[in-house]
Amino acid sequence: MRYISTRGPGTPRSFSEILLEGLAPDGGLYLPQTYPRIDAPTLAHWRKLDYADLAFEVLSLYIDDIAAPQLRALLRKTYTEQVFGSAQIVPLKTLQGGVFLQALSNGPTLAFKDIAMQLLGNLFEHELARRSEVLNVLGATSGDTGSAAEYALRGKGGVRVFMLSPHGRMSPFQQAQMFSLQDPNIHNIAIDGVFDDCQDIVKTVSQDLEFKRAHHIGSVNSINWARLLAQVVYYFAGYFQATRSDTEVVDFAVPSGNFGNICAGHIARCMGLPIRRLALASNENDVLDEFFRTGTYRVRGAGQTHATSSPSMDISKASNFERFIFDLVGRDAQRTRELFGSALPRRGEFALEHDEFKRVGDFGFVSASSTHAQRLATIAQTWKRSRVMIDPHTADGLKVGREFAQSGVPMIVLETALPAKFADTIREAIGIEPQRPAALLGIEQLPMRFKVMPADAQAVKRYIAQNCRP
Ligand SMILES: *Cc1c(COP(=O)(O)O)cnc(C)c1O
């Protein structure tokens, strides 16, 4: 399998070549040249596998430059009951009316990003050892992504993490999750400023190509292909748990921000998994919902991006969306370049032709959005009816999932975080303090390891230079 860019005719590349990269050199995103199609006997065979072996079957269709026994060993090391809390890794809970919750957030940081990030950590370690290289991962976080990256990369050979966060602006729990890590390869840098200052510093450092090359600076951002690929697996696992036979169809509802999670569902569907509908759920930041209703993709400015109670979905543009549009326009790289490389930077929006937009239905997409009040109501109703506590992001997904659910078709709502991460909103909805997993009780009292620095890219560069070698 080789990988191409959504924007151009560049030389197709192998999995290991693109593993450590972000954007393709032409500014596009990597996608496989084709999506392998799964036939009925293969699907029947996969139904019997445990999660790690299912992951092996899916990933080995896309990765041909890691030897099969090594890939299988990496997957078995990643997807364990010890790390993800159950043998099924992504178990289903049954709610009323043919609706299921698929638990994706029982990993170390209590959000679904762990599923992809834990694998990425092991893949990075493997690839860096093979190349005899080191990588210094530089990132900015307002909470979720940074902690998932740190828990995936802690203690890994060849990798160091420099994670910037706004000093004193994360929740005490989020801060403790990150700052209590004592691994010498993890560097928490608390910046005197806001999240945008952290992001600006990362941008400034990354634009200094000489510094970047000399210090082996890399990232683990949401457009990484391996992260997306890891997420394809749980759509298969969810389908097998919700159905008895491979002739049944299911729907999925997906709380969405950067379009990574649901893009994995789109890929699973293109591979032939019997998904009828993919229901995209937005919060008040409804960039994507607007597109699926109107065919116009209109990115927002910082001033128009709301801070909501499902903060991991607060996006102004969706970094993975270009992958879907490439498929939607018939994998026409020139058209994709026109839309994302030209119209969007110039006008901040584009509108698809009628014929292009019409095809959205062929790909199974429907969408809706949810507000703070609806989020609270969904949390309260789910608690009252089923005694199941859900987090605000999952509530957005469930609200939208219920709108599109049809009798006779299982509706699988992806649970993207645990309520313990968002205690304020849970208290507001039902007046109850969500329980934390035992391992995280009292983490706020642990010794903290972090460095406070001014919002100054030069100072951060000096710190990296001093700390990026053994
Ligand atoms: C990242 C995240 C999302 C959004 O997922 P995308 O892949 O960006 O669409 C939703 N919920 C939670 C809890 C998240 O952390």
Side-chain angles (χ1 to χ4, degrees):
M1 178 65 76
R2 291 291 176 272
Y3 291 87
I4 52 172
S5 163
T6 50
R7 289 197 199 172
T11 316
R13 312 185 55 199
S14 75
F15 177 81
S16 295
E17 283 176 311
I18 65 163
L19 173 62
L20 304 175
E21 285 187 26
L23 293 176
D26 58 20
L29 304 182
Y30 287 112
L31 273 179
Q33 279 178 318
T34 58
Y35 299 124
R37 290 285 300 186
I38 304 309
D39 59 15
T42 307
L43 207 56
H45 168 58
W46 287 7
R47 184 178 278 279
K48 301 188 209 103
L49 302 177
D50 70 14
Y51 194 86
D53 285 346
L54 174 63
F56 173 78
E57 296 296 330
V58 174
L59 268 63
S60 56
L61 298 173
Y62 292 93
I63 302 175
D64 53 18
D65 51 356
I66 299 177
Q70 272 177 325
L71 182 61
R72 196 187 287 279
L74 282 173
L75 289 161
R76 288 202 172 142
K77 176 170 139 186
T78 304
Y79 296 114
T80 64
E81 180 170 356
Q82 195 202 355
V83 175
F84 289 97
S86 74
Q88 300 102 307
I89 308 298
V90 289
L92 283 197
K93 273 179 248 179
T94 308
L95 300 180
Q96 268 133 352
V99 177
F100 298 87
L101 276 184
Q102 187 175 1
L104 303 180
S105 30
N106 294 308
T109 73
L110 316 187
F112 85 102
K113 294 196 172 63
D114 287 329
I115 295 190
M117 212 63 107
Q118 287 286 316
L119 177 62
L120 204 66
N122 286 327
L123 286 170
F124 272 29
E125 186 176 53
H126 171 85
E127 177 62 11
L128 290 168
R130 193 187 65 80
R131 296 187 192 182
S132 306
E133 283 180 16
V134 296
L135 187 71
N136 293 302
V137 170
L138 173 64
T141 188
S142 52
D144 275 0
T145 314
S147 59
E150 291 190 353
Y151 279 76
L153 296 171
R154 60 189 292 203
K156 295 277 182 253
V159 192
R160 255 173 236 96
V161 179
F162 296 87
M163 192 58 67
L164 314 189
S165 59
H167 189 203
R169 287 173 193 263
M170 287 190 292
S171 75
F173 174 73
Q174 284 177 319
Q175 182 169 300
Q177 258 192 320
M178 291 175 54
F179 292 4
S180 64
L181 290 179
Q182 300 296 328
D183 309 75
N185 74 326
I186 302 295
H187 296 269
N188 284 303
I189 303 179
I191 295 290
D192 276 324
V194 294
F195 173 63
D196 281 339
D197 296 317
C198 301
Q199 225 167 8
D200 286 346
I201 294 172
V202 170
K203 224 180 269 172
T204 308
V205 175
S206 303
Q207 279 162 358
D208 182 345
L209 295 182
E210 200 180 315
F211 182 87
K212 202 176 158 195
R213 214 171 299 125
H215 296 90
H216 308 281
I217 303 291
S219 66
V220 288
N221 46 29
S222 63
I223 57 167
N224 182 287
W225 164 252
R227 276 180 69 179
L228 211 59
L229 184 55
Q231 297 179 166
V232 173
V233 179
Y234 56 67
Y235 283 87
F236 282 89
Y239 173 78
F240 291 138
Q241 291 178 78
T243 59
R244 293 256 175 79
S245 97
D246 303 331
T247 55
E248 293 175 57
V249 295
V250 301
D251 294 332
F252 279 94
V254 188
S256 293
N258 274 318
F259 205 79
N261 199 351
I262 202 165
C263 191
H266 158 69
I267 292 168
R269 191 175 183 276
C270 290
M271 291 171 72
L273 184 66
I275 299 174
R276 191 184 61 144
R277 277 174 170 170
L278 288 163
L280 178 142
S282 296
N283 63 16
E284 290 87 337
N285 297 293
D286 60 350
V287 185
L288 288 167
D289 179 41
E290 179 177 81
F291 170 80
F292 283 103
R293 281 185 289 105
T294 65
T296 294
Y297 181 60
R298 185 170 60 88
V299 306
R300 314 289 206 257
Q304 299 163 285
T305 308
H306 312 279
T308 75
S309 49
S310 45
S312 299
M313 295 159 63
D314 291 349
I315 50 111
S316 52
K317 59 179 194 290
S319 54
N320 273 292
F321 190 51
E322 183 170 338
R323 288 188 158 115
F324 171 67
I325 293 294
F326 179 66
D327 287 341
L328 184 69
V329 300
R331 304 203 125 205
D332 181 340
Q334 194 187 329
R335 177 67 175 142
T336 309
R337 186 156 13 100
E338 229 169 75
L339 294 171
F340 283 89
S342 166
L344 208 54
R346 247 188 279 146
R347 292 192 291 277
E349 63 175 81
F350 63 70
L352 292 186
E353 303 290 339
H354 177 71
D355 283 359
E356 294 170 329
F357 183 55
K358 202 168 74 188
R359 299 189 64 215
V360 160
D362 302 342
F363 286 92
F365 276 84
V366 291
S367 90
S369 67
S370 167
T371 62
H372 179 69
Q374 290 169 325
R375 208 168 289 137
L376 296 182
T378 305
I379 294 170
Q381 189 194 52
T382 308
W383 177 246
K384 202 164 133 213
R385 278 202 204 157
S386 316
R387 279 290 176 260
V388 171
M389 206 187 279
I390 55 172
D391 101 290
H393 306 79
T394 308
D396 290 336
L398 181 54
K399 184 259 178 194
V400 171
R402 286 212 184 277
E403 279 172 27
F404 289 107
Q406 271 182 18
S407 75
V409 181
M411 167 58 80
I412 305 172
V413 178
L414 299 186
E415 177 199 76
T416 55
L418 289 193
K421 279 194 110 159
F422 302 96
D424 293 351
T425 305
I426 304 302
R427 276 194 301 269
E428 188 181 345
I430 55 176
I432 299 176
E433 186 70 28
Q435 269 185 355
R436 273 189 208 175
L440 296 170
L441 290 171
I443 57 168
E444 290 91 337
Q445 277 76 54
L446 294 174
M448 304 284 161
R449 193 170 154 268
F450 63 102
K451 168 99 180 147
V452 180
M453 298 187 66
D456 170 10
Q458 290 308 323
V460 171
K461 274 193 201 171
R462 271 197 303 278
Y463 181 84
I464 293 173
Q466 281 158 8
N467 289 280
C468 76
R469 291 200 170 75

